[in-house]
């Protein structure tokens, strides 16, 4: 028999007991909002560690009982463990390893991009779009597309290597086809990263629990005046999105997923709250993100990074922009400045790729093995640290990744605290009910 929800238990309590439960719930909510890494590091790390251990254990139990794990994954791992040391069918095994690494890399980056309520790592900006630039540069350098895009993943920081010396005409569609598999896998990962908000909201709705994010959205409908101009605009956008999902269902989710929608996490929360079937939600999200949005972004960046199409785009920009800006004396027109800026950035990226390729040719070991050699003495460690001053782009990457890690820790900590606080509220409400 399913346990009564907290709301059902509270409905049977006396008014003064209901008030005490509500006050305790408000105190718990305030404590959860204070679980921030830089303000309360010990309690935040405690709840995060508890959540990580619990999730790992539950995931292990679920996966070991799932039919796909039992009948597909475990036999494949066992076969790989038996074949790899023996050297049997080595070319086939090496090819399979390369494809697995390729799929895991891009799908994993996609998951990291969208997992968490707005706290995802910008892996498209950090990895996917530079990958597209590498493909465009390699196509121009090689004069063909006979190179393996799977070389640009994991510990690789150099460019793509030409395999043949033949030259042919390479069209925009040729390059788009070359980068499309990586973009689709990354987009599939972003769709997978939208499952947790949906699942949490769905199970909460099934159990009769309140969804804090959704309740906050609904509660803000009548208090726009207290949110300021921007707050009111955001609330109205959220409420429009809720109504759009309710009216259009599958097609609505697909359209909201088919463009870079920073608020798409709310779509998952809403679909779970409305008990939308999983495959309706995930199917629309997958089509929108993996097939439409990812390929649209790929087409845009290939057009920007490929020299021939970039020249056409800049010609249009030159036609659209004015030749001068009143009050300013410029040596170049705005369009010429933009064109030279983009070209210089791309050339700078290419120079960095060439430098890293040359360094890796001299020492092809993984980066952590090279780093360990630099810590054999205090003097060598000091030299290494001084040499690792990041570039502007490297500093931006550090900030992005650091912000992502911080937000993930805080969100997991608050989620675990919410679970434990719900148990405490339920226990107190049941105690009050028994004492009536």
């Amino acid at each position: 028999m399913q346990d009564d929800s907290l709301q059902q238990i509270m409905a049977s309590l006396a008014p003064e007991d209901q008030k005490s439960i509500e006050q305790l719930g408000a105190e718990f909510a305030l404590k959860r909002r204070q679980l921030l890494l830089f303000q309360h590091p010990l309690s935040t790390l405690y709840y995060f560690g508890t959540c990580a251990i619990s999730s790992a254990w539950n995931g292990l139990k679920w996966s070991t009982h799932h039919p796909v794990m039992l009948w597909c994954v475990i036999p494949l791992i066992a076969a790989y463990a038996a074949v790899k040391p023996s050297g049997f069918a080595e070319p086939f095994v090496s090819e399979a390893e390369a494809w697995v690494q390729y799929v895991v890399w891009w799908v994993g980056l996609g998951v990291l991009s969208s997992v968490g309520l707005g706290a995802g790592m910008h892996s498209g900006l950090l990895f996917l779009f530079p990958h597209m630039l590498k493909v465009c540069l390699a196509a121009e350098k090689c004069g063909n597309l006979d190179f393996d895009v799977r070389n640009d993943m994991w510990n690789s920081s150099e460019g793509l290597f030409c395999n043949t010396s033949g030259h042919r005409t390479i069209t925009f569609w040729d390059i788009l086809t070359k980068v499309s598999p990586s973009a689709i896998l990354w987009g599939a990962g972003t769709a997978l990263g939208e499952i947790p908000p949906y699942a949490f909201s769905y199970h909460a709705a099934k159990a009769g629990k309140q969804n804090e994010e959704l309740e906050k959205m609904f509660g803000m409908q009548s208090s726009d005046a207290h949110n300021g101009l921007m707050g009111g605009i955001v609330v109205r956008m959220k409420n429009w999105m809720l109504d759009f999902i309710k009216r259009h269902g599958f097609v609505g989710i697909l359209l909201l997923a088919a463009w870079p929608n920073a608020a798409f996490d709310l779509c998952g929360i809403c679909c779970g709250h409305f008990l939308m079937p999983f495959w309706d939600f995930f199917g629309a999200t997958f089509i929108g993100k993996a097939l439409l949005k990812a390929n649209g972004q790929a087409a845009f960046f290939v057009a920007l990074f490929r020299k021939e199409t970039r020249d056409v785009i800049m010609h249009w920009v030159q036609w659209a922009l004015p030749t001068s800006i009143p009050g300013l004396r410029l040596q170049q027109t705005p369009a010429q400045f933009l064109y030279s800026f983009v070209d210089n950035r791309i050339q700078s990226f290419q120079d960095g790729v060439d430098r890293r390729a040359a360094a890796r040719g001299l020492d092809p070991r993984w980066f952590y093995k090279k780093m360990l050699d630099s810590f054999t003495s205090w003097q060598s460690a000091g030299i290494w640290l001084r040499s690792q001053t990041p570039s502007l782009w490297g500093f931006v990457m550090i900030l992005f990744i650091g912000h992502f890690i911080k937000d993930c820790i805080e969100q997991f900590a608050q989620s675990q605290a919410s679970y434990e606080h719900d148990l405490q509220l339920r226990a107190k409400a049941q105690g009050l009910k028994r004492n009536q």
Side-chain angles (χ1 to χ4, degrees), residues 11-59:
S12 62
L13 298 177
E16 59 272 16
D17 292 335
Q18 292 182 13
K19 187 174 182 180
S20 68
I21 296 293
E22 291 172 355
Q23 289 176 344
L24 182 59
E27 292 175 7
F28 283 157
L30 179 61
K31 289 181 179 179
R32 289 196 296 274
R33 287 194 293 271
Q34 294 174 346
L35 284 175
L36 302 174
L37 191 59
F38 294 148
Q39 294 184 14
H40 298 87
L42 294 180
S43 55
T44 303
L45 290 174
Y46 164 76
Y47 282 113
F48 170 75
T50 303
C51 180
I53 294 171
S54 175
S55 299
W57 176 246
N58 291 332

Side-chain angles (χ1 to χ4, degrees), residues 132-153:
M132 295 176 182
L133 177 53
K134 286 183 181 182
V135 173
C136 292
L137 293 174
E140 293 177 6
K141 180 180 179 181
C142 302
N144 58 61
L145 295 175
D146 297 330
F147 50 82
D148 193 349
V149 296
R150 296 176 303 176
N151 292 329
D152 183 33
M153 59 182 182

Side-chain angles (χ1 to χ4, degrees), residues 102-112 182 184-186 188-190 192:
Y102 175 72
V103 172
V104 170
W105 173 249
W106 288 115
V107 172
L109 286 176
V111 172
L112 291 177
S182 302
I184 291 174
L185 288 172
W186 178 82
T190 64
L192 290 172

Side-chain angles (χ1 to χ4, degrees), residues 72-317:
C72 294
V73 177
I74 292 178
L76 286 173
I77 293 175
Y80 174 78
V83 170
K84 179 66 175 178
S86 67
F88 176 75
E90 187 172 351
F92 174 79
V93 173
S94 298
E95 187 70 10
E97 287 176 340
W99 278 112
V100 169
Q101 291 176 20
Y102 175 72
V103 172
V104 170
W105 173 249
W106 288 115
V107 172
L109 286 176
V111 172
L112 291 177
S113 178
S114 61
V115 71
L117 294 174
M121 184 174 70
H122 301 277
S123 59
L125 182 65
L126 299 177
F127 297 99
L128 180 63
F129 305 150
H131 168 76
M132 295 176 182
L133 177 53
K134 286 183 181 182
V135 173
C136 292
L137 293 174
E140 293 177 6
K141 180 180 179 181
C142 302
N144 58 61
L145 295 175
D146 297 330
F147 50 82
D148 193 349
V149 296
R150 296 176 303 176
N151 292 329
D152 183 33
M153 59 182 182
W154 297 97
N155 71 319
S156 173
S157 59
E158 66 269 17
L160 299 166
F161 302 103
C162 306
N163 293 328
T164 63
S165 57
H167 286 256
R168 64 181 179 86
T169 302
I170 301 172
T171 67
F172 167 84
W173 298 107
D174 292 333
I175 299 179
L176 181 60
T177 303
K178 193 75 172 178
V179 302
S180 184
S182 302
I184 291 174
L185 288 172
W186 178 82
T190 64
L192 290 172
E194 303 294 350
I195 293 177
Y198 165 85
F200 293 150
S201 182
Y202 183 90
H203 290 296
K206 290 278 284 186
K209 298 177 183 177
Q210 288 183 327
N211 186 298
E212 290 186 6
E213 178 69 17
L214 205 64
E215 291 297 322
K216 184 169 64 176
M217 289 165 57
F218 286 137
M220 289 167 66
Q221 284 183 334
S222 59
S223 59
D224 287 353
H226 303 288
N227 296 319
L229 177 62
M230 291 306 298
I233 292 174
V234 171
V235 171
R236 284 191 288 271
M237 289 175 61
K238 289 180 178 180
N239 293 329
W240 172 85
M241 190 165 60
L242 286 173
D243 183 64
F244 188 80
I245 292 171
K246 285 192 288 187
R247 285 190 289 110
H248 299 287
F250 181 95
V251 175
I253 295 296
L254 189 151
L255 294 175
L256 290 171
W259 57 283
N261 185 355
F264 190 81
D265 285 326
L266 299 175
C267 296
I269 293 173
C270 296
C271 292
H273 182 79
F274 299 141
L275 300 179
M276 176 181 283
F278 171 78
W279 287 111
D280 287 355
F281 166 74
F282 183 72
T285 303
F286 179 86
I287 294 171
K289 285 182 171 287
L291 302 183
L292 299 181
K293 188 190 79 170
N295 281 306
Q297 290 175 313
F300 171 80
F301 283 103
V302 168
L304 180 63
F305 296 149
R306 179 175 174 266
K307 182 170 176 52
E308 290 81 358
T309 47
R310 183 167 71 250
D311 289 342
V312 174
I313 292 173
M314 290 305 170
H315 178 73
W316 291 345
V317 171

